[in-house]
Amino acid sequence: MSYDVIIGLEVHVQLQTQTKVFCGCSTAFNPQAPNTQTCPTCLGLPGALPVLNKKAFELAVQTAMGLNCEIPLFTKWDRKQYFYPDLPKGYQISQYDLPFSRNGHLDIPPATDGDTPIRVRILRAHLEEDAGKNLHDESGRGAGSMIDLNRAGTPLVEIVTEPDLRNAMSARRFLEELRLLLVYLGVSDCNMQEGSLRCDANVNLHVHGPDGTKIPTPIVEVKNLNSFRFTEQAIEFEVARQWEQYQKTGQTIHDAPKVTRGFDPDRGMTYALREKEEAADYRYFPDPDLVPVTVTEEQLSLWRSRLVESPASRRERFRQEYGLSLYDAQVILDQGVLFADYFEQVASQTKDGKQAANWLTQEVQRVLNDRRWTLTEFPFPAPALGHLLSLVSTKKITGKSAKDVFNLLVEGDEPEVVTSETIDATIAERGLALVEDTGAIDMAIADVIGRNPKAVQDFRSGKQAAAGALIGQVMKAVKGADPQSVRERLLKQLEG
Amino acid sequence: MSLSAKDVEKVARLARLRLNETDIEQYAAQLSQILDYAAILEAVETEGVEPMVHAIELANVWREDEILTSLPRQQALQNSPAQDGKHFVVPQILDAS
Amino acid sequence: MSSTAATPINQLSMSEQLQRLQNKAISSVELVDATLAAIETHDGSVGAFLQVYPEQARAQAASFDERRARGETVPSLAGLPIAIKDNMCRTGDTVTCASRMLHNYRPPYTAGAIERLERAGAIVVGRTNLDEFAMGSSGENSAVQLTRNPWDLERTPGGSSSGSAASVAARYVSGSLGSDTGGSIRQPAGLCGVVGLKPTYGRVSRYGLIAFASSLDQIGPLATDVTGAAILLEAISGHDPRDSTSVDVPVPSYSQLVQQPLAGLRVGFCPAHFSEGLDQEVAQTIRQALTLYRQLGAEVKEIALPHADYSVAAYYLIAPSEASSNLSRYDGIHYGYRSDKFENLADLYAASRGEGFGPEVKRRIMLGTYALSAGYYDQYYARALKVRRLIRRDYDEAFQEVDVIAGPVAPTTAFRLGEKNNDPLAMYLSDIYTIGTNLAGIPAISLPAGYSKSGLPIGLQLQGPAFEEIKLLQAAYMFEQAAGVLERKPGMVGG
Ligand SMILES: [Zn+2]
């Protein structure tokens, strides 16, 4: 017997606004100062009212557009009602039957060149407010839980996928692609330590019956996975557990209701959450304190036209236009939108994507890492690097010299911004320009051969290494000669 | 529409209201009576009528994403029945409430 | 008896009080003192106030007096004592909603309407009693005290703005603020022989009004006369960006325009408002009012509100549904009453809410929770919202024909305290004439139209199109002048 794994994800993404979704309190992550970013509205005080943050709605729409969703022209807010200490109103303002977006998709990029992407359909994305945070007493003495409402009211987009994922690895790669997209769109910082991106995974199996039918097992929702690795681990654990369970009990989706489980990262295991006595009845109804949002087709096309290019589209262009491998393209994309922009500027200037990619992923990244610079602090603007690399490809300087120049110009605490002129001046100053006077080189070779009969003898008797010493002497004599060319001409004379 | 004591208990659980026996009995009778009366709405032809959620129907009411002063913590906590000077405090929370 | 020098100044109309303050015939301290003295004398028996702020009120009065003495320009209501219903927030106050749940609740902010009122110079002298969380029609659902009708202390002042109506009827103050979700300003105004106005939904900010049913609630004025209501309405109206449902339309100068005669007034009446259940004396008085309008040159014609009979049923599904949600926040965690009889968290909620809320509030939470619960939403809540739209359409059509619709406020005069205690449905049905207004979001005014043989006030209600409060006020003023109803006051204040 075998089975298919069926996975759907619900991802909660914190939007990058200054203020909360329905009040003017700051959304800054501030667990050190609990309950200092609250007001009557996000405390749920009697009489306080919500007013929608325009920016939150705009970022939510951009998110949905990035996910290729339809944006209906009418959307509204509903109350989802349940009691919990981190939910001060006794309801969460969310969206029920008319979310602001639905029916999109996000493709998981191929893992290696030659593979095809995997399409994951997006059922819907809706905007809602986050709850506060319960801090549990870890002492076990039952002293009680503490509640911090700083986070209460932070704007969240909940993205719900169709159950299109077939293994834990794809789920992880889907999340990675989603994070890349959200970061590129500038809608979220996706900081998982701060809880900006959280995931619930719905997992079950379709067991292949002997007659070719597929038997679905009960669905399990693993809640609150706050890292991609945990998501992958939790799903893997669940698949194994559910398969074992099925073999033991034969329970199908019709025999048991959907249950929720938590994940313990220390043990790498999921565990049952205490079941409620009755199925949740959230009593959704339209929030009378908030009015609907309507948009026009014109507004939507304007927003669409301003949308940042998606990582998927860039990845494809980097491969097509600049001839990068999937791996190199991904390395560059993973560094963020500024880095990718920088790459494109350099590559389009030098017309050599491979060279630009090598330089960016090696030299530039090394310096950025060593100096802890962001790209905006980096003193080498793209046109300057483009100039430097062009000098290499037109054989004006050697690759080694280019690296020397590069390292020289980024030295110091606060190096000056590099220009083409400073590069040229440095090359001239250091005499790094390649000498193209072949006559001078040939004379120097003849001179060196004349002065080193022993080495010439060794070479001719088969000691290839002896040429190295001779090349070194020629290079010393003719500063700025291209070592490749010196080598070629020397060998010719020795063999001639 | 007749509500049983069991129905009332279920609703009370959903609404987080502790009721005693007498309350439950009384509410069962009174809620049944009110819902019976509300059944007159079934006689109204509502085919194609949009539900009216708001008394005055507005759309697109926004605020700009600008930070306003939050309350000092002491004021945020001032009405809490139990607090530790920094947080609201509640009895140990189990997995589900 | 007209206002003579012998009339205590707290019993003067609002416009007279303001005029005397302005020309310094009286000081604000004198007026506040007269108010406090009247409260001291009579409120032991009336029970209108839950809290009075004597020191604060005198200090504010003294400050306005000084400013006036220095010749400073002061705002239009400077030094005028006003009572407010105890469901509106103000920093520093304790706001209870007459509930055990909020017995010690101190809001850290002030309601939009109260901000406007105070910016206009009015002095909040105290907080008035109400049915718990504004749920009720008699004041008897207050967890704190009974309020009695100044016309007959054995009778109800109506509700839920019981204390706001009684404090004006007893002439402690010339005006007060109430809130109206299904008639909670107009019905007590009617039973107490004062003027009460429920503004168009969105006319007055709800920010800081402790919600009962968000899509129906509206703050409005009560006053001894129509002009007073116009003055107060002008002070509290206007857009508030903190309330998404507040409407940004200009506020006419109600106080200036109220006394201008209306030419070509068309007054509608609806036969459904004269159906069974309406007290004969009340019906008679309303018919006389229509006759008076005819005599004043108005065109009086019959209009139809075909869905009026469904308004109570629709209302008692919509309002409790919203209430069940709005009142979820009272959980004993972040503020309000917390029971000490609990074993765990779920228990803490149920015990705190079970003990903190009174029977009527719990009844409505139960009803609303049921109406919104899985399997019943479409049958009850969604259907009620559709009927609501039909009710609104009826009004839209009627206002094609007429400027205002006249009718009774309540089916009877003030009933005896305790009379309807054990019959919630009967109590709900007494809201039949006022509820349609809230469902439709339109404005309506209640004003004294006459008195029963036993000397109890009978109220006339005028309903108007959205944002046409001025028409209501002008039509009401015409009637008030012609009917001579202002002459009578409750016996306890020397009427
Ligand atoms: Zn806030």
Side-chain angles (χ1 to χ4, degrees):
Chain A
M1 262 201 300
S2 62
Y3 56 83
D4 298 325
V5 178
I6 310 294
I7 306 161
L9 300 177
E10 290 169 24
V11 187
H12 291 89
V13 179
Q14 256 181 35
L15 295 177
Q16 237 174 146
T17 52
Q18 294 294 305
T19 66
K20 296 184 180 181
V21 60
F22 297 118
C23 67
C25 292
S26 167
T27 52
F29 181 67
N30 192 6
Q32 295 78 28
N35 295 303
T36 54
Q37 288 159 206
T38 68
C39 70
T41 297
C42 59
L43 288 171
L45 295 187
L49 297 171
V51 183
L52 180 63
N53 180 341
K54 189 175 191 185
K55 175 91 178 196
F57 184 75
E58 287 173 357
L59 292 182
V61 169
Q62 283 174 39
T63 305
M65 284 178 166
L67 291 167
N68 308 292
C69 287
E70 297 161 13
I71 314 289
L73 301 183
F74 177 98
T75 191
K76 67 179 175 80
W77 314 102
D78 301 286
R79 294 182 180 178
K80 177 183 182 179
Q81 312 197 64
Y82 63 94
F83 290 91
Y84 209 62
D86 62 11
L87 190 70
K89 298 188 297 298
Y91 58 84
Q92 177 192 29
I93 303 175
S94 181
Q95 300 198 279
Y96 182 51
D97 53 339
L98 298 172
F100 78 90
S101 74
R102 50 173 43 148
N103 299 338
H105 61 84
L106 180 67
D107 292 342
I108 306 174
T112 53
D113 293 290
D115 276 7
T116 47
I118 302 166
R119 175 147 301 184
V120 178
R121 290 167 301 154
I122 307 291
L123 179 64
R124 57 184 275 163
H126 67 253
L127 181 57
E128 62 185 23
E129 57 177 348
D130 206 347
K133 208 160 168 42
N134 293 311
L135 308 154
H136 302 276
D137 174 36
E138 305 291 346
S139 73
R141 285 190 295 267
S145 294
M146 297 170 296
I147 298 149
D148 174 9
L149 295 180
N150 279 354
R151 200 180 66 184
T154 299
L156 292 183
V157 168
E158 180 176 332
I159 299 162
V160 183
T161 77
E162 296 279 5
D164 288 351
L165 293 154
R166 291 292 169 270
N167 58 60
M169 171 63 117
S170 317
R172 179 190 180 137
R173 299 200 53 239
F174 170 83
L175 291 172
E176 283 167 354
E177 181 68 1
L178 176 64
R179 176 168 63 182
L180 194 64
L181 172 70
L182 299 173
V183 169
Y184 267 65
L185 294 175
V187 297
S188 175
D189 63 11
C190 294
N191 186 327
M192 299 197 74
Q193 278 77 46
E194 297 179 2
S196 303
L197 202 155
R198 310 191 292 271
C199 179
D200 302 337
N202 286 288
V203 184
N204 76 335
L205 309 178
H206 283 182
V207 179
H208 299 176
D211 54 353
T213 54
K214 291 189 177 173
I215 307 150
T217 63
I219 297 177
V220 172
E221 182 177 7
V222 189
K223 294 202 84 84
N224 256 319
L225 297 160
N226 58 6
S227 97
F228 295 167
R229 193 162 53 87
F230 295 164
T231 305
E232 194 178 0
Q233 286 174 356
I235 293 171
E236 270 166 5
F237 180 85
E238 262 311 299
V239 169
R241 192 190 65 82
Q242 289 182 24
W243 177 234
E244 200 184 299
Q245 202 68 19
Y246 176 76
Q247 286 173 309
K248 230 188 281 174
T249 66
Q251 270 199 339
T252 73
I253 198 164
H254 308 294
D255 305 325
K258 174 172 160 174
V259 294
T260 54
R261 296 177 73 87
F263 179 67
D264 179 349
D266 295 333
R267 294 186 299 155
M269 291 164 72
T270 67
Y271 57 92
L273 292 169
R274 200 182 67 160
E275 292 301 315
K276 292 173 185 164
E277 291 163 46
E278 286 152 33
D281 184 346
Y282 292 122
R283 288 161 287 134
Y284 279 101
F285 81 110
D287 192 330
D289 287 333
L290 286 162
V291 303
V293 173
T294 59
V295 288
T296 61
E297 292 291 359
E298 293 73 50
Q299 211 165 6
L300 290 179
S301 35
L302 183 72
W303 283 349
R304 216 167 252 127
S305 71
R306 288 184 191 157
L307 207 62
V308 180
E309 186 184 11
S310 73
S313 153
R314 282 209 164 188
R315 185 183 293 114
E316 207 37 47
R317 279 200 308 103
F318 285 5
R319 297 171 69 192
Q320 302 290 335
E321 290 176 25
Y322 302 109
L324 299 196
S325 67
L326 194 57
Y327 179 84
D328 281 344
Q330 193 61 39
V331 170
I332 288 167
L333 287 173
D334 282 343
Q335 296 306 309
V337 70
L338 287 179
F339 200 81
D341 287 346
Y342 189 99
F343 164 77
E344 281 213 65
Q345 282 183 59
V346 175
S348 60
Q349 191 179 339
T350 62
K351 309 278 181 263
D352 186 347
K354 193 77 197 148
Q355 179 200 36
N358 287 341
W359 265 77
L360 258 74
T361 55
Q362 291 164 27
E363 304 310 312
V364 174
Q365 253 192 297
R366 177 178 53 75
V367 170
L368 292 181
N369 288 343
D370 288 353
R371 308 294 296 268
R372 295 174 190 279
W373 276 334
T374 63
L375 205 53
T376 43
E377 295 161 310
F378 184 55
F380 232 106
L385 188 66
H387 178 69
L388 183 65
L389 299 197
S390 294
L391 293 177
V392 177
S393 35
T394 55
K395 303 213 180 240
K396 298 286 191 320
I397 59 171
T398 63
K400 163 114 187 11
S401 299
K403 284 174 192 173
D404 291 344
V405 170
F406 175 81
N407 287 327
L408 203 67
L409 291 176
V410 296
E411 256 176 26
D413 285 344
E414 279 180 36
E416 277 178 38
V417 174
V418 178
T419 63
S420 300
E421 288 72 38
T422 49
I423 291 172
D424 291 345
T426 309
I427 290 169
E429 200 177 293
R430 308 258 157 169
L432 296 175
L434 286 179
V435 172
E436 287 167 78
D437 184 346
T438 49
I441 294 173
D442 285 345
M443 254 160 68
I445 290 173
D447 180 49
V448 168
I449 288 176
R451 281 192 288 111
N452 293 281
K454 172 85 171 72
V456 171
Q457 186 61 39
D458 286 350
F459 178 83
R460 287 192 173 137
S461 63
K463 279 191 186 164
Q464 294 285 323
L470 297 175
I471 291 168
Q473 290 192 36
V474 177
M475 294 291 292
K476 220 179 246 172
V478 193
K479 282 218 168 73
D482 176 8
Q484 191 58 37
S485 146
V486 168
R487 182 182 184 85
E488 279 164 20
R489 305 190 89 81
L490 175 75
L491 294 182
K492 212 191 227 167
Q493 286 198 33
L494 286 174
E495 284 156 9
Chain B
M1 187 73 227
S2 189
L3 259 72
S4 66
K6 232 179 127 190
D7 295 330
V8 171
E9 280 171 27
K10 189 180 158 192
V11 176
R13 250 194 322 275
L14 206 49
R16 297 291 187 279
L17 289 173
R18 185 188 280 172
L19 302 179
N20 62 34
E21 293 288 312
T22 329
D23 292 340
I24 290 168
E25 228 168 85
Q26 205 174 38
Y27 283 150
Q30 289 171 341
L31 297 183
S32 297
Q33 193 195 9
I34 295 162
L35 292 169
D36 279 343
Y37 174 73
I40 61 167
L41 295 182
E42 283 163 29
V44 184
E45 179 54 65
T46 55
E47 186 75 26
V49 179
E50 271 297 299
M52 181 172 162
V53 173
H54 294 91
I56 299 291
E57 293 174 299
L58 304 169
N60 301 349
V61 176
W62 320 100
R63 35 173 286 274
E64 295 303 320
D65 186 26
E66 286 158 9
I67 293 184
L68 300 174
T69 315
S70 289
L71 289 173
R73 181 195 280 149
Q74 175 269 329
Q75 281 186 32
L77 299 176
Q78 75 183 8
N79 287 292
S80 177
Q83 46 131 323
D84 63 4
K86 283 185 173 178
H87 308 90
F88 301 90
V89 176
V90 293
Q92 192 67 36
I93 295 169
L94 300 171
D95 288 336
S97 65
Chain C
M1 189 178 85
S2 64
S3 54
T4 64
T7 308
I9 54 176
N10 56 291
Q11 294 191 20
L12 298 173
S13 73
M14 193 182 299
S15 50
E16 281 179 278
Q17 288 175 344
L18 289 173
Q19 203 180 354
R20 293 191 190 192
L21 285 170
Q22 215 162 7
N23 58 31
K24 298 181 197 157
I26 59 171
S27 72
S28 176
V29 169
E30 285 167 344
L31 183 54
V32 166
D33 278 343
T35 293
L36 293 171
I39 294 170
E40 180 70 34
T41 309
H42 297 294
D43 213 43
S45 48
V46 175
F49 280 96
L50 292 178
Q51 287 177 75
V52 182
Y53 305 115
E55 290 80 23
Q56 195 184 72
R58 282 201 190 94
Q60 285 175 298
S63 151
F64 281 123
D65 286 341
E66 275 168 41
R67 289 174 59 185
R68 273 211 171 90
R70 285 200 299 268
E72 280 181 38
T73 314
V74 290
S76 58
L77 306 190
L80 178 74
I82 294 293
I84 63 172
K85 187 175 181 177
D86 197 20
N87 61 352
M88 302 172 199
C89 295
R90 191 170 68 140
T91 311
D93 292 359
T94 299
V95 182
T96 70
C97 282
S99 178
R100 187 178 186 193
M101 184 56 87
L102 291 180
H103 68 288
N104 58 358
Y105 177 69
R106 286 165 50 235
Y109 76 106
T110 299
I114 303 299
E115 270 178 11
R116 284 186 185 268
L117 186 72
E118 293 196 311
R119 226 180 295 139
I123 295 172
V124 175
V125 283
R127 296 183 162 273
T128 58
N129 195 23
L130 63 152
D131 285 295
E132 183 178 4
F133 283 101
M135 297 179 191
S137 312
S138 70
E140 291 162 292
N141 297 327
S142 168
V144 186
Q145 66 193 36
L146 273 184
T147 297
R148 295 169 183 276
N149 192 319
W151 294 87
D152 179 347
L153 296 177
E154 294 310 308
R155 290 178 187 269
T156 176
S160 68
S161 306
S162 318
S164 292
S167 65
V168 175
R171 299 299 193 273
Y172 306 148
V173 283
S174 57
S176 65
L177 294 187
S179 68
D180 191 317
T181 307
S184 280
I185 289 174
R186 291 159 288 155
Q187 184 256 18
L191 302 194
C192 286
V194 301
V195 177
L197 188 144
K198 178 244 169 242
T200 309
Y201 186 84
R203 172 85 290 183
V204 178
S205 170
R206 290 188 300 116
Y207 185 75
L209 167 68
I210 298 185
F212 159 14
S214 309
S215 82
L216 302 161
D217 295 342
Q218 196 62 194
I219 293 175
L222 295 96
T224 56
D225 63 4
V226 173
T227 307
I231 293 168
L232 271 188
L233 179 65
E234 186 175 323
I236 61 172
S237 291
H239 181 238
D240 184 346
R242 297 167 299 183
D243 172 2
S244 303
T245 63
S246 162
V247 184
D248 194 0
V249 294
V251 179
S253 179
Y254 299 121
S255 61
Q256 302 295 309
L257 299 169
V258 58
Q259 298 184 0
Q260 283 180 12
L262 258 179
L265 176 67
R266 297 168 302 167
V267 177
F269 69 92
C270 176
H273 288 163
F274 295 87
S275 55
E276 58 163 329
L278 180 63
D279 177 273
Q280 279 316 300
E281 272 189 296
V282 176
Q284 185 61 26
T285 306
I286 302 306
R287 288 202 185 91
Q288 282 166 5
L290 291 173
T291 306
L292 183 58
Y293 269 118
R294 223 175 255 124
Q295 287 163 359
L296 290 169
E299 180 191 347
V300 177
K301 63 197 273 189
E302 184 178 323
I303 52 100
L305 297 171
H307 297 90
D309 288 345
Y310 301 108
S311 58
V312 173
Y315 177 88
Y316 277 98
L317 292 172
I318 295 169
S321 294
E322 292 186 17
S324 72
S325 173
N326 285 333
L327 273 64
S328 293
R329 66 189 63 205
Y330 306 106
D331 57 7
I333 306 275
H334 308 94
Y335 46 81
Y337 177 81
R338 181 186 287 192
S339 168
D340 51 14
K341 299 182 202 68
F342 61 87
E343 313 219 314
N344 56 37
L345 187 63
D347 226 26
L348 164 62
Y349 284 115
S352 300
R353 291 164 60 78
E355 294 165 25
F357 292 134
E360 179 61 26
V361 171
K362 282 188 274 194
R363 186 154 38 237
R364 295 198 194 191
I365 291 175
M366 293 286 291
L367 184 56
T369 303
Y370 184 77
L372 291 177
S373 64
Y376 298 104
Y377 181 92
D378 289 328
Q379 184 183 350
Y380 291 117
Y381 180 71
R383 175 169 283 272
L385 288 183
K386 290 178 182 179
V387 174
R388 179 181 192 179
R389 185 172 298 282
L390 296 174
I391 290 169
R392 166 75 196 219
R393 282 185 194 161
D394 287 351
Y395 279 110
D396 288 346
E397 279 169 34
F399 289 127
Q400 301 287 319
E401 307 274 316
V402 295
D403 299 310
V404 299
I405 298 168
V409 179
T412 64
T413 53
F415 47 90
R416 287 185 183 282
L417 287 164
E419 196 177 307
K420 296 185 188 176
N421 266 353
N422 289 316
D423 191 351
L425 185 58
M427 190 73 97
Y428 297 171
L429 286 168
S430 71
D431 297 341
I432 184 152
Y433 304 125
T434 47
I435 270 172
T437 313
N438 300 77
L439 290 172
I442 59 173
I445 192 168
S446 160
L447 67 156
Y451 297 86
S452 69
K453 286 192 206 81
S454 56
L456 292 169
I458 293 170
L460 167 70
Q461 176 176 235
L462 302 176
Q463 298 169 297
F467 298 104
E468 293 287 358
E469 282 85 354
I470 189 58
K471 260 187 204 163
L472 291 180
L473 289 163
Q474 289 171 336
Y477 181 76
M478 277 168 72
F479 179 87
E480 183 181 77
Q481 292 304 299
V485 285
L486 290 181
E487 304 306 314
R488 273 170 89 161
K489 288 178 192 168
M492 61 177 288
V493 291

